[in-house]
Amino acid sequence: MQATTGRLRLGVVGLGRLGKRHAENLAYRVPGASLVAACSPLEEERAWARETLPEPRLYADYADLLADRDVDAVWLVTPSSLHAQQIIDALRAGKHVFCEKPLSLDLAECERVLAEAARYPHLQATIGFMRRFDPSYKDAFDKIEAGKIGRPFLVRSQTTDKNDVDGFFVRFSETSGGIFLDCTVHDIDVARWLLGKPRAKRVFAAGAVALHEGLREFGDVDNGVAICEFEDGKLAMFYASRTQAHGNDTHSEVIGTAGALAIGHNPRANRVDIYDATGIRNECTPNFFDRFEDAFLHEARAFVAAVQGGAASNAQAGATLADALEATRIGMALRQSLQSGEAVTL
Amino acid sequence: MQATTGRLRLGVVGLGRLGKRHAENLAYRVPGASLVAACSPLEEERAWARETLPEPRLYADYADLLADRDVDAVWLVTPSSLHAQQIIDALRAGKHVFCEKPLSLDLAECERVLAEAARYPHLQATIGFMRRFDPSYKDAFDKIEAGKIGRPFLVRSQTTDKNDVDGFFVRFSETSGGIFLDCTVHDIDVARWLLGKPRAKRVFAAGAVALHEGLREFGDVDNGVAICEFEDGKLAMFYASRTQAHGNDTHSEVIGTAGALAIGHNPRANRVDIYDATGIRNECTPNFFDRFEDAFLHEARAFVAAVQGGAASNAQAGATLADALEATRIGMALRQSLQSGEAVTL
Amino acid sequence: MQATTGRLRLGVVGLGRLGKRHAENLAYRVPGASLVAACSPLEEERAWARETLPEPRLYADYADLLADRDVDAVWLVTPSSLHAQQIIDALRAGKHVFCEKPLSLDLAECERVLAEAARYPHLQATIGFMRRFDPSYKDAFDKIEAGKIGRPFLVRSQTTDKNDVDGFFVRFSETSGGIFLDCTVHDIDVARWLLGKPRAKRVFAAGAVALHEGLREFGDVDNGVAICEFEDGKLAMFYASRTQAHGNDTHSEVIGTAGALAIGHNPRANRVDIYDATGIRNECTPNFFDRFEDAFLHEARAFVAAVQGGAASNAQAGATLADALEATRIGMALRQSLQSGEAVTL
Amino acid sequence: MQATTGRLRLGVVGLGRLGKRHAENLAYRVPGASLVAACSPLEEERAWARETLPEPRLYADYADLLADRDVDAVWLVTPSSLHAQQIIDALRAGKHVFCEKPLSLDLAECERVLAEAARYPHLQATIGFMRRFDPSYKDAFDKIEAGKIGRPFLVRSQTTDKNDVDGFFVRFSETSGGIFLDCTVHDIDVARWLLGKPRAKRVFAAGAVALHEGLREFGDVDNGVAICEFEDGKLAMFYASRTQAHGNDTHSEVIGTAGALAIGHNPRANRVDIYDATGIRNECTPNFFDRFEDAFLHEARAFVAAVQGGAASNAQAGATLADALEATRIGMALRQSLQSGEAVTL
């Protein structure tokens, strides 16, 4: 870690559960970073920042934070519908920007952000697909790069949540974009990343409402399956679920011509096995928040290193705006296929 | 086991590798069964039978075996293209019949066999989807029946073979019907069996040629993925591969509203773990023949028990002709989807 | 398998639960074997044999079976206290003999059997340490022979039973010889077999009464741990338990200079994993009977093959009387150590 | 996390590999802590501190750090032979003290430290048995406390290192105290902690030199096994090794009257499984440093919380001096048993 000079000065925007985690990481655990500002419209969240973070300047208004000349980069953990404009505003204010996924659920808006960002090539703009920074996903990526499984041609990937009896996501369905844009978008990014960023050419999706009937009015499902064909003969299969009994089970497989890798096959909560009258078992990660605790940290470190390292290190900085656009494009095609019952050509 | 009276007298037809195994099971390991006859056009195979089996009557010609009045049932392990007519001939000769999968790759021919069989309701006619008799698949079936995972609504199932560098299956592609009819047909049967025999309504398939370019001329692939939607909101995802590095990896998952079951997730060859400089590993089952050794035996026992037990035990006898027809119908739709790039409605 | 000529004609003695299994294996599943006779003092067990086995000659008295000239070999599944004399009687009657473990709990008696057997070098005499015939143990043995783990120098092995709430073994403690002679004797044989049959030089044992207080009056424990030092710097650690919650957990590890092997680390009942609110689990083998079903069969096949193959195949025939003597010797030293609290030198 | 007031001001002493890790944790990742000073006799290590840590005061001499009035607590990561006196000096200087294990290899010296510490009951003195703070070990501890496995009565625990071809530990053997005092001491502490801190009454140990012949001159071994009997009928089995092929394999089991827990059974490096021609495998943690990365952090947090929380939180602060004394006492008895071949009564 570095001492106090030459640090990247960050401002975090949004201090909900995930925002708090990012804020703590940036404040205490990222070499080269100083969390100098935080922004939330809620006094309660600002109070938390006042007590917990190392004397950040606090803002209720995003525009005020952007006006702070001693902020080099903003870290957006805000509602999805705000992302696109907030990114544009940050770039215009001359600040690097990290933004939680998704970029936008509107393709035109995605394009608009990309166009704007093209005007600021010296600024880093990264979308938070944190799975790329999970140590196990990273290890798989490196093994693939090293040729350990030959040529990778198929990814199977899933994002499945423990059933939420409160059904928060049902009410959230209208704005989340549905299960594929909310959950599978991560798997889409993983598949493209591990397969060498191929372009999708055709998708098909289907789904079931296993438990949450309320989703039907939004054309959404609580379990979705999909196939994605890429242009160079590569393939992906996706599964998303809101109704798992055992926990958050996020795992992926990459199959190559000379071997395969599975990442997270058993979503173990820890290294403990329990032997009792029901057999031998392990408990599972309850949610993505616990599963990807390390990934959020590594993501922050990579962003800061990328900004400080310049163009050479950009490759390791995470998903680009173009990656995010492509993930949205595929996710929307999946939704369209789910609703039409037809394969959708991109 | 029973002693010598009241045994079901069987004749095995076809003595290739799999036929030999069935013959030995029927001869020595199935209570209530007597293997009294064997049929093969090859002298070499009949010689094997003469040395190995307990004094069976040997036939070079199937018609001669059917004429043997002291044969109660025939056990067909013959080339797929012969199955349909041989089943019909056996039924007409008044014999129960067990036939290896597939029933036929031609839907009209399947229908013809069903129509004929309807005339002989007192005769057992079973198609050999042996996976139903694997102890682990059976355990999963029983747990589902007992309600342990709530209502099952999604099956994910795969049949993946260790890469055959000789590429036997490439030359075999024209007659095998392609990867979905040759391999996935097992997964289709498993899915229908575990989900309560729903009817398929729509399928989509895609594929890749990872290693065996020769398949392209047959419109076949060496890796195929598929989705199948059933009428009552149930779903299945399938994966078939000819190119795995680690072995034959046949596994399935059933996901229900209150839990899930995975069958064969790690295709362990045995109970040994090897600790060395590469980590901790287990070897894998090299082929379906070893993986399903027990299943073939249990299948034979169930068939014999079903014949001897009468109608009451038919439910446990294995896949019916109707099940086989439905598996072929879905498999053909998958092939059609693979070739057209469109979803296919059944 | 062979047909009907040149078969080894066997008589099974003792038709309790384990005797029945051996009898069925010998009758129906062992190439080259004919089960021609069975002996039990209980009419009920002879009735079972009459109904189940292929027309064996039935005897109530062991002497009568030994007088049967058409019996080539006897298979003893009788109470332990009878083993030694029954083996001697069988050898004197000119019959090969297989006997369930233990040879005897009395060292002098063991020696007497060995002395007698030395007079009949043409007769096979094998003690049933079936673990040597379990496919996984056998695979480990073969890998060691092939040098896969370098020089093996440490075995850790355990025999642990699911807790028997009836506490049958408590009443049985007086005649079983206690936990080390009843359970650990298998692990002792495994250790010697996998380490190249070294001689023990020193042992230490300790134990605990976790649940079954009734054992104290016999100087026995329901959980025992032990260390055994062999003459050439090799080591073994043993654990035996009567009180496991999850099932019969029989497993072993062999540690060598270049790697290690674990056999049966997770005593999975089958290939099913259950995903539910408690996590991911597998059920376990309930008892040794299920765990070693295959081993009993392979053991019978090996014995018959050894008799038929002559001296050359003796090496694969199973534990010799000398192996059994050594296992008893070590087991008794463990009991002595448990009771004295001192290390015992052999 | 807290902001800047009321923090515990720490000085780290010793900046080798492990010292650097502790320093970074204390500097950046422990709420309520400020790393204000660092001490090393090596200019190179102080230079590292100057560049990496947040402006600590740097000392070459431990006495000077103890004279620093703005240091509340010292964190000793120094050579083992210095521990005892440095702890005493810290307490006399009025500072809380955390010290890496071992307390001392000399029992009289251990007693002397305890006697001195008794004079400063208001000061925290903790020995770094970090395994208590590993999340999985902690989870097991909590489950035991909650009664999930009934009454725990047996611990099996091992510390086994990947073979070090350089054989550093051979040269280190004279000062390390040998394998039991260097490695098993962790398992001893784990066993006592998980079993409710029973007192040992008798031990037995044995060992083997598998690869490192140079150890013989020190009476040491590269593989050691041991049994420890505690006063209340509880037991422990230990295994220590310097010669594993697959990695650092530190794991433990706790067996109770109603179930058991295994911690770290497969020392997975991460969540990746590799499928290739050798089977399915996972890589393993290469060394304790990687395995216990999180534990070191939680250990530091717990120490700081304990100091700040006062007596009430002491229970969670880690191993006491008395625990460390008992671990040394048992470890020395193991060494004595190894060398004498006799059981040793404590």
Side-chain angles (χ1 to χ4, degrees):
Chain A
M1 287 198 182
Q2 285 181 284
T4 49
T5 60
R7 285 167 166 264
L8 184 71
R9 298 166 302 176
L10 293 117
V12 68
V13 185
L15 292 168
R17 186 179 178 197
L18 186 54
K20 287 187 174 76
R21 172 169 295 185
H22 280 299
E24 290 190 335
N25 282 340
L26 293 167
Y28 299 111
R29 301 176 65 185
V30 177
S34 283
L35 185 70
V36 300
C39 173
S40 167
L42 303 179
E43 165 51 27
E44 173 189 328
E45 293 182 357
R46 293 196 302 276
W48 173 89
R50 205 172 289 122
E51 287 164 24
T52 313
L53 303 175
E55 305 183 40
R57 292 184 289 282
L58 297 178
Y59 298 100
D61 190 327
Y62 181 53
D64 293 340
L65 182 139
L66 289 182
D68 184 334
R69 296 203 170 182
D70 292 326
V71 168
D72 305 315
V74 297
W75 197 275
L76 301 173
V77 200
T78 52
S80 299
S81 58
L82 305 179
H83 289 173
Q85 191 57 48
Q86 287 183 329
I87 294 169
I88 290 172
D89 292 345
L91 294 169
R92 287 178 178 167
K95 301 189 189 305
H96 303 283
V97 58
F98 172 96
C99 182
E100 268 302 316
K101 71 100 195 171
L103 170 50
S104 166
L105 302 183
D106 181 284
L107 287 176
E109 197 170 47
C110 289
E111 303 273 17
R112 193 159 63 87
V113 178
L114 264 78
E116 188 73 18
R119 298 176 52 209
Y120 306 96
H122 58 293
L123 294 178
Q124 183 79 33
T126 297
I127 302 298
F129 286 108
M130 80 291 189
R131 219 170 286 180
R132 296 185 183 205
F133 298 98
D134 173 69
S136 295
Y137 276 91
K138 184 63 168 51
D139 181 53
F141 181 85
D142 292 343
K143 285 187 162 65
I144 293 168
E145 289 279 287
K148 297 293 175 69
I149 62 166
R151 183 176 59 86
F153 62 88
L154 170 60
V155 163
R156 296 195 285 183
S157 190
Q158 71 175 50
T159 298
T160 70
D161 282 327
K162 186 155 185 158
N163 189 44
D164 170 11
V165 290
D166 291 340
F168 165 75
F169 62 88
V170 177
R171 300 185 298 277
F172 184 56
S173 177
E174 197 157 13
T175 54
S176 74
I179 197 165
F180 294 119
L181 281 158
D182 190 32
C183 300
T184 304
V185 72
H186 283 288
D187 301 291
I188 294 169
D189 185 65
V190 161
R192 291 186 63 252
W193 176 56
L194 295 178
L195 292 174
K197 301 207 177 181
R199 281 184 65 88
K201 68 173 189 189
R202 191 188 294 119
V203 302
F204 179 78
V209 174
L211 288 172
H212 299 275
E213 293 292 329
L215 291 169
R216 294 192 194 274
E217 70 174 282
F218 305 105
D220 199 4
V221 292
D222 55 17
N223 281 263
V225 296
I227 287 171
C228 178
E229 295 180 76
F230 295 101
E231 276 184 345
D232 52 358
K234 291 176 179 171
L235 295 167
M237 297 182 85
F238 302 122
Y239 174 42
S241 173
R242 310 283 198 181
T243 64
Q244 300 293 299
H246 61 294
N248 174 280
D249 190 345
T250 296
H251 71 244
S252 305
E253 294 168 78
V254 199
I255 298 165
T257 50
L261 299 168
I263 305 129
H265 227 148
N266 178 328
R268 303 182 66 91
N270 56 27
R271 293 177 183 269
V272 175
D273 292 303
I274 304 163
Y275 295 59
D276 63 20
T278 69
I280 300 178
R281 69 188 156 95
N282 62 268
E283 296 175 339
C284 297
T285 49
N287 51 57
F288 83 96
F289 215 71
D290 291 303
R291 170 64 183 85
F292 291 104
E293 181 173 352
D294 282 353
F296 288 116
L297 176 60
H298 291 295
E299 177 181 63
R301 290 179 178 168
F303 178 85
V304 170
V307 170
Q308 295 183 327
S313 60
N314 278 8
Q316 305 303 322
T320 64
L321 297 173
D323 292 329
L325 164 60
E326 188 66 11
T328 297
R329 190 196 311 277
I330 296 172
M332 296 196 75
L334 291 177
R335 186 172 63 177
Q336 182 186 337
S337 177
L338 172 70
Q339 290 171 357
S340 69
E342 302 290 335
V344 172
T345 301
L346 285 99
Chain B
M1 287 199 183
Q2 285 182 284
T4 49
T5 59
R7 285 167 168 263
L8 184 70
R9 298 166 303 176
L10 292 117
V12 68
V13 185
L15 292 169
R17 186 180 179 196
L18 186 54
K20 287 187 175 75
R21 172 170 293 185
H22 279 299
E24 290 191 335
N25 281 341
L26 293 167
Y28 299 111
R29 300 175 66 185
V30 177
S34 283
L35 185 71
V36 299
C39 174
S40 168
L42 303 178
E43 166 52 26
E44 172 189 328
E45 292 182 356
R46 293 196 302 276
W48 174 89
R50 205 173 290 123
E51 288 164 24
T52 313
L53 303 175
E55 305 183 40
R57 293 184 288 281
L58 298 178
Y59 299 99
D61 190 329
Y62 181 52
D64 294 340
L65 182 139
L66 290 182
D68 184 335
R69 296 203 171 183
D70 292 326
V71 168
D72 304 316
V74 297
W75 197 275
L76 302 173
V77 199
T78 53
S80 299
S81 58
L82 305 179
H83 288 174
Q85 190 57 47
Q86 287 182 330
I87 294 170
I88 290 171
D89 292 345
L91 294 169
R92 287 178 179 168
K95 301 189 190 304
H96 303 284
V97 58
F98 173 95
C99 181
E100 268 300 316
K101 71 99 196 171
L103 170 50
S104 167
L105 302 184
D106 181 285
L107 286 178
E109 198 170 47
C110 290
E111 303 272 17
R112 193 160 61 87
V113 178
L114 264 78
E116 188 73 17
R119 299 176 50 209
Y120 306 95
H122 59 292
L123 293 178
Q124 183 79 31
T126 297
I127 302 299
F129 286 110
M130 79 290 188
R131 218 169 287 180
R132 296 186 183 204
F133 297 98
D134 172 70
S136 295
Y137 276 92
K138 184 62 168 53
D139 180 55
F141 180 85
D142 292 343
K143 284 187 163 64
I144 293 168
E145 290 279 289
K148 295 294 175 66
I149 62 166
R151 183 176 59 87
F153 63 88
L154 170 59
V155 163
R156 296 195 286 183
S157 190
Q158 72 174 51
T159 298
T160 69
D161 282 327
K162 187 156 183 156
N163 188 44
D164 170 11
V165 289
D166 290 340
F168 165 76
F169 62 89
V170 177
R171 301 185 297 278
F172 184 57
S173 177
E174 197 158 14
T175 54
S176 73
I179 198 165
F180 294 119
L181 281 158
D182 190 33
C183 300
T184 305
V185 72
H186 283 289
D187 301 291
I188 294 169
D189 185 65
V190 160
R192 291 186 63 252
W193 176 56
L194 295 178
L195 291 175
K197 301 207 177 182
R199 281 183 65 87
K201 69 174 190 189
R202 192 187 293 119
V203 302
F204 179 79
V209 174
L211 288 172
H212 299 276
E213 293 291 330
L215 291 169
R216 293 191 194 274
E217 70 174 282
F218 305 105
D220 200 4
V221 291
D222 55 17
N223 280 264
V225 296
I227 288 172
C228 179
E229 296 180 75
F230 295 102
E231 276 184 346
D232 52 358
K234 291 175 178 171
L235 296 167
M237 297 182 86
F238 302 122
Y239 173 42
S241 173
R242 310 283 198 180
T243 63
Q244 299 294 299
H246 61 294
N248 174 280
D249 190 344
T250 295
H251 71 243
S252 305
E253 294 168 78
V254 200
I255 298 164
T257 50
L261 298 168
I263 305 129
H265 226 148
N266 179 328
R268 303 182 67 91
N270 56 27
R271 293 177 184 270
V272 175
D273 291 303
I274 304 163
Y275 294 59
D276 64 20
T278 69
I280 299 178
R281 68 188 157 95
N282 60 270
E283 295 175 340
C284 296
T285 49
N287 51 58
F288 82 96
F289 216 70
D290 291 303
R291 170 63 183 86
F292 291 104
E293 181 171 352
D294 282 352
F296 289 117
L297 176 59
H298 292 296
E299 177 181 63
R301 290 179 179 169
F303 178 84
V304 170
V307 170
Q308 294 184 328
S313 60
N314 278 7
Q316 305 303 322
T320 64
L321 298 173
D323 291 331
L325 165 60
E326 188 65 11
T328 296
R329 191 196 311 276
I330 296 172
M332 296 196 75
L334 291 178
R335 186 172 63 178
Q336 182 186 337
S337 177
L338 172 69
Q339 290 171 357
S340 69
E342 302 291 335
V344 172
T345 301
L346 285 99
Chain C
M1 289 198 181
Q2 284 181 284
T4 49
T5 59
R7 285 169 168 262
L8 184 71
R9 299 166 300 177
L10 292 116
V12 68
V13 185
L15 292 169
R17 185 178 179 197
L18 186 54
K20 287 187 173 77
R21 172 170 293 184
H22 279 299
E24 289 190 336
N25 281 341
L26 293 168
Y28 299 111
R29 302 176 65 186
V30 177
S34 284
L35 186 70
V36 299
C39 173
S40 168
L42 303 178
E43 166 52 27
E44 172 189 328
E45 292 183 356
R46 292 196 303 274
W48 172 89
R50 206 173 287 124
E51 288 164 25
T52 312
L53 302 175
E55 305 184 40
R57 293 184 289 282
L58 298 178
Y59 298 101
D61 189 327
Y62 180 51
D64 294 340
L65 183 140
L66 289 184
D68 183 334
R69 294 201 173 185
D70 293 326
V71 168
D72 304 316
V74 297
W75 198 274
L76 301 173
V77 200
T78 51
S80 299
S81 59
L82 305 179
H83 288 175
Q85 189 58 46
Q86 286 182 329
I87 294 170
I88 290 172
D89 292 344
L91 294 170
R92 286 179 179 167
K95 301 189 190 306
H96 302 284
V97 58
F98 172 96
C99 181
E100 268 300 317
K101 71 100 197 170
L103 170 51
S104 167
L105 301 183
D106 180 286
L107 287 177
E109 199 171 45
C110 290
E111 303 273 17
R112 194 161 61 88
V113 178
L114 263 80
E116 188 73 17
R119 299 176 51 207
Y120 306 96
H122 59 292
L123 294 178
Q124 183 79 32
T126 297
I127 301 299
F129 285 109
M130 79 291 189
R131 219 170 285 179
R132 296 187 181 203
F133 297 98
D134 173 70
S136 295
Y137 276 92
K138 185 62 167 54
D139 181 54
F141 180 84
D142 291 345
K143 285 188 162 64
I144 293 168
E145 289 279 288
K148 297 294 175 67
I149 61 167
R151 182 176 60 85
F153 63 88
L154 170 60
V155 163
R156 295 195 287 182
S157 190
Q158 71 174 51
T159 298
T160 69
D161 284 326
K162 187 156 183 157
N163 188 44
D164 169 11
V165 289
D166 291 341
F168 165 75
F169 62 88
V170 176
R171 298 186 297 278
F172 184 57
S173 177
E174 196 157 14
T175 54
S176 72
I179 198 165
F180 293 119
L181 281 159
D182 190 32
C183 299
T184 304
V185 72
H186 282 289
D187 301 290
I188 294 168
D189 185 65
V190 161
R192 290 187 64 252
W193 176 55
L194 295 177
L195 291 174
K197 302 209 177 181
R199 282 183 64 88
K201 68 174 189 188
R202 191 187 293 120
V203 302
F204 180 78
V209 174
L211 289 173
H212 299 276
E213 293 292 328
L215 291 169
R216 292 190 195 275
E217 70 175 281
F218 305 105
D220 199 3
V221 291
D222 55 19
N223 280 264
V225 295
I227 287 172
C228 178
E229 295 179 76
F230 294 102
E231 275 185 346
D232 51 359
K234 292 177 178 170
L235 295 166
M237 296 182 86
F238 303 122
Y239 174 43
S241 173
R242 310 283 199 181
T243 64
Q244 300 294 299
H246 61 293
N248 174 281
D249 190 344
T250 295
H251 70 244
S252 305
E253 295 168 77
V254 200
I255 298 165
T257 49
L261 299 167
I263 306 129
H265 227 148
N266 179 327
R268 303 182 65 91
N270 56 28
R271 292 177 184 271
V272 176
D273 291 303
I274 304 163
Y275 294 59
D276 64 19
T278 69
I280 300 178
R281 69 188 156 95
N282 61 270
E283 295 175 339
C284 296
T285 48
N287 50 57
F288 83 96
F289 216 71
D290 292 302
R291 170 63 183 85
F292 290 103
E293 181 172 352
D294 282 353
F296 288 116
L297 176 60
H298 291 295
E299 177 182 64
R301 290 179 178 168
F303 178 84
V304 170
V307 170
Q308 295 183 328
S313 60
N314 278 8
Q316 305 303 324
T320 63
L321 297 174
D323 291 330
L325 165 60
E326 188 67 11
T328 296
R329 192 196 311 276
I330 296 172
M332 296 196 75
L334 291 177
R335 185 172 63 176
Q336 183 186 339
S337 177
L338 172 70
Q339 290 172 355
S340 70
E342 303 291 333
V344 172
T345 301
L346 285 98
Chain D
M1 288 198 182
Q2 285 181 283
T4 48
T5 59
R7 286 170 167 261
L8 184 71
R9 298 166 300 176
L10 291 117
V12 68
V13 184
L15 292 168
R17 185 178 180 197
L18 186 55
K20 287 188 174 75
R21 172 170 294 184
H22 279 299
E24 289 190 336
N25 281 341
L26 293 168
Y28 299 111
R29 301 176 66 184
V30 177
S34 283
L35 186 70
V36 298
C39 173
S40 168
L42 302 178
E43 165 51 28
E44 174 190 327
E45 291 183 357
R46 292 196 304 274
W48 173 89
R50 206 173 289 123
E51 288 164 24
T52 313
L53 302 175
E55 305 183 41
R57 292 183 289 283
L58 298 178
Y59 299 100
D61 190 327
Y62 181 52
D64 293 340
L65 183 140
L66 290 184
D68 184 334
R69 295 201 172 183
D70 292 326
V71 169
D72 304 316
V74 297
W75 197 275
L76 301 173
V77 200
T78 52
S80 299
S81 58
L82 305 179
H83 289 174
Q85 190 59 48
Q86 286 184 329
I87 293 170
I88 289 172
D89 291 346
L91 294 170
R92 286 178 179 168
K95 300 188 191 306
H96 302 282
V97 59
F98 172 96
C99 181
E100 269 300 318
K101 71 99 196 170
L103 170 50
S104 167
L105 301 183
D106 181 285
L107 287 177
E109 199 171 46
C110 289
E111 303 272 18
R112 194 162 61 88
V113 178
L114 264 80
E116 188 73 19
R119 299 176 50 207
Y120 305 96
H122 59 293
L123 294 178
Q124 183 79 31
T126 297
I127 301 300
F129 285 109
M130 79 291 189
R131 218 169 286 179
R132 296 186 181 203
F133 297 98
D134 173 70
S136 296
Y137 275 91
K138 185 60 168 54
D139 181 53
F141 180 85
D142 292 344
K143 285 186 162 64
I144 293 168
E145 290 279 289
K148 296 294 174 68
I149 61 166
R151 182 175 59 86
F153 62 88
L154 170 60
V155 163
R156 296 195 286 183
S157 190
Q158 72 174 52
T159 298
T160 69
D161 283 327
K162 187 157 183 155
N163 188 44
D164 169 12
V165 290
D166 291 341
F168 166 74
F169 61 89
V170 177
R171 298 185 298 277
F172 185 56
S173 177
E174 197 158 14
T175 54
S176 73
I179 197 164
F180 294 119
L181 281 158
D182 190 33
C183 300
T184 305
V185 72
H186 282 289
D187 301 290
I188 294 168
D189 186 64
V190 160
R192 290 186 64 251
W193 176 55
L194 295 177
L195 291 174
K197 303 209 177 180
R199 282 183 65 88
K201 69 174 188 188
R202 190 188 294 120
V203 302
F204 179 79
V209 174
L211 289 173
H212 299 275
E213 293 292 327
L215 290 169
R216 292 191 195 275
E217 70 174 281
F218 305 105
D220 199 3
V221 292
D222 55 19
N223 281 264
V225 296
I227 287 172
C228 178
E229 296 180 74
F230 294 102
E231 275 184 345
D232 52 358
K234 292 177 178 170
L235 295 166
M237 296 182 86
F238 303 121
Y239 174 43
S241 173
R242 311 283 199 179
T243 64
Q244 299 293 299
H246 61 294
N248 173 281
D249 190 343
T250 295
H251 71 244
S252 305
E253 295 168 77
V254 200
I255 298 164
T257 50
L261 299 168
I263 305 130
H265 227 148
N266 179 327
R268 303 182 66 90
N270 56 28
R271 292 177 184 270
V272 175
D273 291 304
I274 304 163
Y275 294 59
D276 64 21
T278 68
I280 300 178
R281 69 188 156 94
N282 61 269
E283 295 176 339
C284 297
T285 48
N287 50 57
F288 83 95
F289 216 71
D290 292 303
R291 169 64 182 87
F292 291 103
E293 182 172 351
D294 282 352
F296 289 116
L297 176 59
H298 291 295
E299 177 181 64
R301 291 180 178 168
F303 178 84
V304 170
V307 170
Q308 294 184 326
S313 61
N314 278 9
Q316 305 303 323
T320 63
L321 297 174
D323 291 330
L325 165 61
E326 188 66 10
T328 296
R329 191 196 312 276
I330 296 172
M332 296 196 76
L334 291 177
R335 185 171 64 177
Q336 183 185 339
S337 176
L338 172 69
Q339 290 171 355
S340 70
E342 303 289 335
V344 172
T345 301
L346 286 98

